[in-house]
Amino acid sequence: MYLQETKVSPEPPISSGQNRITGFDWTMIASDLGSYGAAVLEKLLTKKECKELAALYPEEEHFRSHIIMARHGFGKGEYRYFRYPLPELIEELRTTLYSRLSPSPTNGMRGWGANAISR
C-alpha cells in the first residue's frame, strides 16, 4: 500500500464571488453599514489577490482617474478609480456584493439604513 502525497495549499482556492460571501454574517454587516456607513469583510481576498491588485496601482493604464486628496482639501492620501472593464475579480465581487446589499422592495432602506447610501 502506497500513500499518496498530498499537497497543501497555503491559501484556499479562489472561488466565485457568491461562494466567497456565503460565510459572512449579513445581519452584522447590515448593522455596521447602518451605524458606521462601512463594514469589514475580513479575508474576502487572499493575500495573493491583494498583492496582485496592489501591484496594478503604479500602472496608469489600469485607471481612469487619480485623486490626490490634498488638492481638494481632504488631507493626505490618494486613490484611483479603475478603468472599465474592471479587473475580473473586482467585477465579480462588485456584482455579487451589490446584489446582496441593494435594497429590496421588502426591506427598502430600513435593513441597513439610508445613511449608508447617502454618505
Side-chain angles (χ1 to χ4, degrees):
M1 180 166 141
Y2 295 97
L3 295 176
Q4 291 184 342
E5 183 178 306
T6 304
K7 293 183 180 179
V8 177
S9 175
E11 295 185 332
I14 297 172
S15 62
S16 73
Q18 191 63 40
N19 290 339
R20 287 176 191 254
I21 69 166
T22 56
F24 289 103
D25 180 346
W26 288 95
T27 301
M28 180 62 73
I29 291 169
S31 175
D32 286 351
L33 285 170
S35 297
Y36 309 112
V40 175
L41 281 70
E42 290 188 31
K43 299 182 181 178
L44 180 64
L45 301 175
T46 66
K47 288 180 184 180
K48 180 182 179 198
E49 290 167 333
C50 289
K51 287 179 183 179
E52 288 171 354
L53 288 170
L56 299 175
Y57 196 81
E59 302 171 13
E60 292 285 334
E61 67 269 17
H62 298 291
F63 302 94
R64 61 183 166 92
S65 107
H66 182 178
I67 308 302
I68 298 173
M69 294 170 61
R71 288 186 191 160
H72 305 282
F74 295 127
K76 296 179 182 179
E78 61 183 71
Y79 59 94
R80 290 183 167 190
Y81 290 102
F82 276 112
R83 186 179 303 279
Y84 291 98
L86 297 172
E88 187 177 335
L89 174 62
I90 299 298
E91 179 63 35
E92 183 179 348
L93 288 173
R94 176 177 142 166
T95 301
T96 303
L97 291 168
Y98 281 16
S99 68
R100 184 71 180 222
L101 294 173
S102 65
S104 71
T106 56
N107 74 358
M109 305 283 269
R110 292 184 312 251
W112 43 281
N115 290 341
I117 291 178
S118 63
R119 288 184 191 181

